[in-house]
Amino acid sequence: MADSSRTRPADPDAAESRTESPLSGKKRLQHSPGLRPKYQSSAPGHCLRKVTLTKPTFCHSCSDFIWGLIGFLCEVCNFMCHEKCLKTLRAACSCMAPSLVRVPVAHCFGPAGHKKRFCSVCRKQTEGNTALRCEVCELHVHADCAVFSCADCRRSHLDATLQQDTFHHHWREGNLPSAARCEVCRRSCGSSDVMAGMRCEWCGITTHAACYLSVPPECTLGRLRSMMLHPSCLHLDSRNFSKMHCYRITESCSHELDNSDDVDLSAAVTKDGQPAAPESGKQFLKVFDGDDAVKRGCFRSVSILRATRNEEVVEAALRAFYLPDEPQDFELHEVGGMQRLHSDDILNRNGGPDNRSSQKDGGDTWLLRAKPRDTEVIQVHAGWPRSDASPVSVLVSKNSTAASVLTEVLSKLDRQGEDLSSFTLMEVYMSSKQVQRQTLTPQENILEKLQEIRKTSLRQMNQTRFYVVENVNRAVQVGLLIGGLPPLLAKEEYVQLIEEHLAIKSHLVSISHIYGSQGAVALQISCFSEAERIYMLAKDTTVNNKTLTSLVIPEIQHNKLGDDVCPLLVFVNPKSGGLKGRELLYSFRKLLNPHQVFDISNGGPLVGLHTFREVPHFRVLVCGGDGTVGWVLGVLEAVRHKLVCREPPIGIVPLGTGNDLARVLRWGAGYSGEDPHHILVSVDEADEVLMDRWTILLDAQDISEDGKDNGFLEPPKIVQMNNYFGLGIDAELSLDFHQAREDEPDKFTSRFHNKGVYVKVGLQKISYTRSLHKELQLQVDAQNVQLPNIEGLIFLNIPSWGSGADLWGSEVDSRHGKPRIDDGLLEVVGVTGVVHMGQVQSGLRSGIRIAQGNYIRLTVSKPIPVQVDGEPWIQPPGHIIISAAGPKVRMLRKSKQKQKKSAGVKDGRAESPSSRDGPH
């Protein structure tokens, strides 16, 4: 790697353009230098020079304001600091990022949020649609900077290829909240003005860039340790799957990301989008970094003075590609004629007629090439845990092969007595999107291999490293969950369907679990290529006009979980809560292990429950509305016999419109931007309570006026109820609201709008009349109950209805007991119409108390609107039976002490390591 004090060309415009992306569209051009002095620093890779400041500027090292007119700017990554900070500088330059990676892990890029962030490559502010962020870690980049980032994401599981000894902090620079405090010196280390400070991606501690090396290297996972799945407890054979597949992340912007290497860099434009006019005495050069870039037409623009030395032009080109190498090892060739740039300056070759033609076309086109080398030093890393993680340096020549390099490396690692055939030299390309591994044959010439990579792409060479790995014949086990199959079939029928539609090879694939009620099967596959084929084929296969789902499942090694660890299984509905679920999904993936956070719209709750099937103790957090909570409870009820922990307690983050169950359990009326870190702490400190669940049998029959059954109208239906069951006007309003949302789903993105539509629907029904007591016959605990003159009948399991209204009321009644969610009784309440419902919502009245009981039987003589936990439909005439649904479920109720503590902290979110990414 290059020395940090090497001479680099200066950039007189850098200080004035720090808010721009350095590449296409809104990039600044690389300018040729004057021969001004450069300054050394203790951090690797930076090339600093003194600049005159023309606007308020903050130091990237200490985050303090730079008083005066002088600052020190890195010409490669735009790092800016005080003169006093030069001696304590620790943050490495962007060009050195590949050399600092411990174990390469690819990123999962998705569209960034709307908050102000700074790019981890060029350190400038990201803007709108041109910004990307990793869905798993803190990396924020411009779309056109992504190709210059490397695979330094969090390592969330083991894959048996590359191991590490201890679990270290995973440091990420910048994008800290302004109130963050340094773990070492306790001073403020965050900034909203510049990219400053360091944060551990796992435990969340924050420090100054000058202090973080003083923190003990081993990470303890911090406050959330007791609910986090440690990466060493997770195994996933993922060789042929991208990280998007491994984390079950929907590739919403896959087209844009797949083409991120093909960014059009041809236009030299200013920030406002207008073409930049060439300054007097300057010329644009189009520079490619290899044959692959020429083939794709992807180049960088470099602006130089007419009289510029060849070495300075080469150095400007290296800087444009974030390459830390020495300029004397490279040269420029003209594209097409491949004429070398060999004169002392380019003034003479730019002075003829060709120059005028070139300027008209946008500048000369050049290819940056590495000079041929007879010998070279490569760094080889050990692929097994070592106390000293530093690589081994090996000198390779024209005769060096992979076998000779292996021999020398093993001798330096004190393993020279072992069989050479037990080890392999592996080439690893650390692209930010995909870590590509290639095993080298013993006879492969290493010097030729290096020259081949450099000829293809110099950037690729900078992101390539070599590992020596042990040949371990470990059995491959890839887990896939295939969903979307017809439910309630026999095992033989599922085997037949899988063999017919996916053409599985029975000697490589076995069915480990069958979830008949969910129409899903879990496969164990002992071959990478077969697993990849089945995964891709399933996504394009339909059975009974329903497309199959295919998801990669990690293996949780539950015997490695600590006794004090109760991992949290998180389900997030990204479509709930006005799309706030999308930001919560991102925040929880970042705060926890992403393998324990599931997008419930991608495969449903079964995926997470199947993943946690062998974990002896775990908790569940459901982020969604009452319908989402009911969905999770229903699937849990169906598959609990396959779980070691059959009754995991469930907490709620309310994202729906009503959120009545969340209100009862003290989680609030609705999510309004609380800090996700504080939510997880509240879940950890929550109390466990029991709650009744109820089974509703809907037996539609043709009932005559004299009460006789004249046959079935449709097959009987069974549904589960957690909150309440309503018939009549209450259900009709829910049905009208549901139909309005189905017709125009894009308009129902906020809780406020949803309630407004509900009020509008209610006003339209204000003159509604229906003599419900004439259409229903009610039995409670085998006793006939006379109904009053009502328009709606509601059965309550919880003391909250219609977005928090107390329908039963708080008055003491000698005939009935005080309602509880675990008393095994339902409260039966009537309403006389829309006006009565509005009075209940306003707290002016309560409903009409009718009965309490644990076994309800209804006879319905006409079609009637019904709703269960907010899900409405029209129910034909027939019988309806409500009874207890097996064992009570365990729920998490937010502790009162935690509620008071949260209410007393006015700005508690500022101290949280995640608050800057929670939605507002």
Side-chain angles (χ1 to χ4, degrees), residues 536-550:
M536 301 305 294
L537 180 60
K539 289 180 173 293
D540 296 326
T541 301
T542 57
V543 176
N544 294 349
N545 297 321
K546 187 176 181 180
T547 304
L548 299 183
T549 60
S550 178

Side-chain angles (χ1 to χ4, degrees), residues 11 25 359 369 380 504 507 541 549 580 591 605 633 690 699 750 801 819 842 853 858 888:
D11 185 357
Q359 289 189 19
R369 287 285 196 204
V380 182
I504 63 172
H507 65 288
T541 301
T549 60
K580 290 179 181 176
L591 289 168
L633 287 171
L690 295 176
D699 193 6
S750 75
W801 166 85
S842 304
L858 283 164
K888 302 177 190 293

